């Protein structure tokens, strides 16, 4: 529990690391409708795509240096020596990033999607999809960044992008089903299932990769 | 392994890019004893410490720590967050800057008036002092230090020596590397070239 407070405190005190990405997300969502000449109906059709891409880019930017600072100042080594494992630290870090960045952009995205569609039922599509997908995105980008730790974040993003395609396809299917009035709960459950697997395995894989970097 | 022995190192060796730093190195660390690892730059002192800590795997041989041996380690990196204040940095290491013992140490190190200073604005020596507080307040059975006196002024070096002596009296064990002499009773391992 103390680890959660410490990691929360570390990220909270670094405003640019969590507030910056949220502002980028807002900028994309607000500026897109201003830069294209689309009818509100057409805009409505593409808005969810913008939402998914905006959240993807925001997470990519925010997770860019998730482990780098701790690696450079020796915190990862210190934690490993004290606990003989990095799993709890990685798991907590990802959770805190989701709490401070994933949840706010999910709420903001939902707010904008309700405003855009003038339909409160958008809440049922946008909120769960964004909550689950942002957590998955953070995990996957964290994996990419752990692989390219101290080698630049571009490589990490390149490694991660192919892993994100199935999630983006699934998000597209959710919107398609919702537009045709079909059930979306099965797709959301599928995403939740993917998330549950990722929550357990990705921190484990990342801790192994980072241990290799420390060697 | 006998209860008085905390660490048993048997025939370990280590090479970097086919350059053998040390080989067939064996030693024990007993309770209440200090071990000084000496050697020239590049002789493998820091590598040996990282091997003992389990961060870097040894090329061969075995390293056995006694069960439930907790370790407090200070290496070349100070484990400080440059964007946080001094007291915030203590907090992330689980140290309450309002406790009297912490305040005493902060006063001894001349950092008591700097509690609200951003660590990035402190000098290297002051940052090293701050890193040492974590060592001074630890409860671990074994203290491992890699060049702890680099960047420290004379008074802090004396304070560090006094602290380490008092820890030995409490039956704690110390492993350290240092080019700057630290006046504590210790056994010495010298690493150099291919010879141990």
């Amino acid at each position: 529990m103390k680890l959660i407070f410490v990691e929360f405190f570390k990220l909270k005190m670094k405003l640019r690391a969590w507030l910056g990405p949220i502002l980028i997300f807002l900028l994309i969502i607000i500026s897109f409708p201003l830069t294209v000449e689309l009818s509100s109906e057409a805009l409505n059709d593409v808005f969810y795509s913008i939402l998914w891409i905006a959240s993807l880019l925001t997470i990519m930017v925010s997770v860019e240096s998730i482990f780098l600072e701790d690696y450079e100042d020796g915190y990862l080594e210190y934690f490993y020596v004290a606990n003989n494992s990095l799993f709890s630290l990685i798991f907590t870090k990802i959770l805190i990033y989701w709490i401070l960045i994933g949840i706010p952009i999910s709420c903001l995205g939902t707010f904008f999607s309700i405003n855009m569609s003038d339909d409160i039922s958008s809440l049922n599509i946008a909120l769960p999809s964004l909550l689950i997908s942002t957590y998955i995105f953070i995990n996957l980008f964290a994996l990419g960044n752990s692989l390219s730790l101290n080698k630049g974040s571009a490589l990490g993003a390149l490694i991660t992008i192919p892993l994100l395609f199935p999630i983006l396809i699934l998000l597209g299917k959710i919107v398609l089903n919702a537009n045709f009035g079909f059930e979306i709960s099965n797709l959301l459950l599928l995403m939740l299932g993917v998330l549950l697997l990722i929550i357990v395995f990705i921190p484990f894989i990342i801790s192994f990769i980072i241990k290799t970097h420390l060697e | 392994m006998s209860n008085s022995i905390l660490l048993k190192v048997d025939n370990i060796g280590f090479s970097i890019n086919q350059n053998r730093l040390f080989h067939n190195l064996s030693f024990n660390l007993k309770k209440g004893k200090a071990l000084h690892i000496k050697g020239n730059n590049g002789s493998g002192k820091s590598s040996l410490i990282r091997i003992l800590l389990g961060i870097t795997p040894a090329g061969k041989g075995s390293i056995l720590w006694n069960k439930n041996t907790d370790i407090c380690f200070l290496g070349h990196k100070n484990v400080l967050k440059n964007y946080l204040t001094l007291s915030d940095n203590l907090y992330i290491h689980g140290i309450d800057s309002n406790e009297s013992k912490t305040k005493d140490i902060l006063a001894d190190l001349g950092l008591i008036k700097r509690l609200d200073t951003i660590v990035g604005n402190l000098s290297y020596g002051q940052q090293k002092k701050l890193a040492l507080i974590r060592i001074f307040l630890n409860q671990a059975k074994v203290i491992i230090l890699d060049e702890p006196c680099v960047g420290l002024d004379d008074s802090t070096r004396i304070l560090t020596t006094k602290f380490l002596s008092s820890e030995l009296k409490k039956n704690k064990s110390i492993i350290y590397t240092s080019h700057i002499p630290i006046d504590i009773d210790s056994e010495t391992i010298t690493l150099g070239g291919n010879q141990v």
Side-chain angles (χ1 to χ4, degrees):
Chain A
M1 201 62 189
K2 191 180 166 290
L3 182 61
I4 293 179
F5 285 119
V6 167
E7 285 304 314
F8 185 83
F9 180 74
K10 275 163 61 184
L11 186 58
K12 187 193 82 177
M13 296 302 283
K14 217 165 50 172
L15 270 182
R16 65 184 160 83
W18 62 273
L19 193 59
I22 294 172
L23 293 175
I24 290 173
F25 179 79
L26 269 178
L27 193 71
I28 299 171
I29 295 294
I30 293 169
S31 62
F32 184 81
L34 301 176
T35 53
V36 287
E37 290 292 328
L38 287 175
S39 65
S40 62
E41 212 170 70
L43 192 60
N44 214 357
D45 286 343
V46 294
F47 187 73
Y48 279 109
S49 298
I50 302 161
L51 209 56
W52 308 147
I53 301 300
S55 64
L56 180 81
L57 291 174
T58 308
I59 298 296
M60 189 178 87
V61 170
S62 64
V63 179
E64 202 173 65
S65 56
I66 183 168
F67 305 118
L68 189 62
E69 178 200 292
D70 284 345
Y71 176 75
E72 285 177 342
D73 66 23
Y75 189 81
L76 289 173
E77 264 179 27
Y78 158 79
F79 191 90
Y80 180 78
V81 170
N83 300 280
N84 213 16
S85 161
L86 290 168
F87 179 86
S88 56
L89 177 69
I90 310 289
F91 180 87
T92 311
K93 259 190 177 304
I94 291 171
L95 177 70
I96 297 303
Y97 266 72
W98 182 66
I99 291 171
L100 272 177
I101 301 164
I103 293 179
I105 66 170
S106 300
C107 296
L108 284 170
T110 306
F111 171 76
F112 279 103
S113 69
I114 292 170
N115 271 309
M116 194 61 73
S117 61
D118 275 336
D119 184 3
I120 193 74
S121 66
S122 294
L123 180 82
N124 301 330
I125 307 165
L127 190 62
S129 309
L130 279 168
L131 283 173
I132 298 170
S133 64
T134 48
Y135 208 162
I136 294 175
F137 292 159
I138 293 172
N139 271 281
L140 293 178
F141 278 116
L143 174 69
N145 283 306
S146 68
L147 283 166
S148 64
L149 196 67
N150 75 9
K151 289 180 186 71
S153 54
L155 183 64
L158 272 175
I159 295 163
T160 315
I161 283 168
L163 299 173
L164 295 165
F165 288 153
I167 306 300
L168 289 173
I169 293 167
L170 211 53
L171 286 168
K173 288 268 179 223
I174 288 173
V175 178
L176 200 67
N177 278 17
N179 283 345
F180 284 108
F182 297 148
E183 190 62 46
I184 61 161
S185 57
N186 49 352
L187 291 169
L188 285 173
L189 283 173
L190 180 63
M191 261 201 355
L192 195 63
V194 172
L195 174 64
L196 289 177
L197 282 175
I198 279 177
I199 280 178
V200 178
F201 288 110
I202 296 281
F204 181 74
I205 297 167
I206 292 174
S207 55
F208 180 76
I209 294 166
I210 290 180
K211 171 68 179 52
T212 312
H213 279 291
L214 293 178
E215 284 172 12
Chain B
M1 190 157 56
S2 140
N3 262 348
S4 66
I5 296 175
L6 290 177
L7 168 68
K8 191 174 168 62
V9 175
D10 195 22
N11 273 325
I12 61 164
F14 187 67
S15 306
I16 296 177
N17 299 331
Q18 295 181 333
N19 175 26
R20 193 163 66 180
L21 294 180
F22 50 84
H23 69 288
N24 294 338
L25 182 62
S26 301
F27 59 89
N28 294 334
L29 177 69
K30 290 178 184 166
K31 272 185 190 170
K33 298 285 178 190
L35 199 63
H36 181 192
I37 302 168
K38 282 172 89 172
N40 295 331
N41 297 130
S43 58
K45 300 184 296 295
S46 297
S47 299
L48 176 57
I49 282 197
R50 292 171 69 80
I51 289 168
L52 298 180
L53 290 168
I55 298 169
T56 305
K60 58 169 191 159
S62 69
I63 295 159
L64 273 176
W65 282 98
N66 207 329
K67 273 184 187 173
N68 304 321
T69 304
D70 44 351
I71 300 166
C72 184
F73 166 60
L74 176 63
H76 291 289
K77 295 172 182 174
N78 290 331
V79 197
L80 298 172
K81 303 289 169 197
N82 281 335
Y83 57 92
L84 295 178
T85 63
L86 198 146
S87 58
D88 290 342
N89 267 285
L90 291 176
Y91 166 74
I92 65 168
H93 287 293
I95 299 167
D96 182 359
S97 54
N98 291 317
E99 269 186 21
S100 60
K101 197 178 174 188
T102 313
K103 279 185 173 174
D104 290 345
I105 293 173
L106 283 165
D108 288 345
L109 293 172
L111 294 173
I112 192 77
K113 288 180 182 169
R114 295 281 195 149
L115 276 174
D116 295 324
T117 307
I118 300 287
V119 162
N121 295 335
L122 295 176
S123 71
Y124 177 78
Q126 287 173 317
Q127 290 185 15
K128 192 78 184 187
K129 283 179 183 180
L130 182 55
L132 275 172
I133 294 175
R134 179 164 59 81
I135 305 298
F136 288 172
L137 290 168
N138 85 90
Q139 300 295 323
K141 287 178 192 165
V142 178
I143 299 167
I144 300 184
L145 306 166
D146 195 358
E147 297 290 353
C149 293
V150 171
L152 295 180
D153 51 34
D154 289 344
S155 61
T156 313
R157 255 182 258 160
I158 292 166
L159 202 70
T160 307
T161 307
K162 270 185 191 170
F163 163 77
L164 293 176
S165 299
S166 72
E167 293 297 281
L168 286 176
K169 281 175 193 156
K170 289 181 204 162
N171 219 19
K172 291 191 180 182
S173 305
I174 299 163
I175 299 176
Y176 69 98
T177 72
S178 183
H179 287 292
I180 299 161
I182 298 178
D183 188 20
I184 56 170
D185 187 20
S186 53
E187 291 173 29
T188 304
I189 294 175
T190 307
L191 306 179
N194 293 335
Q195 233 179 357
V196 175

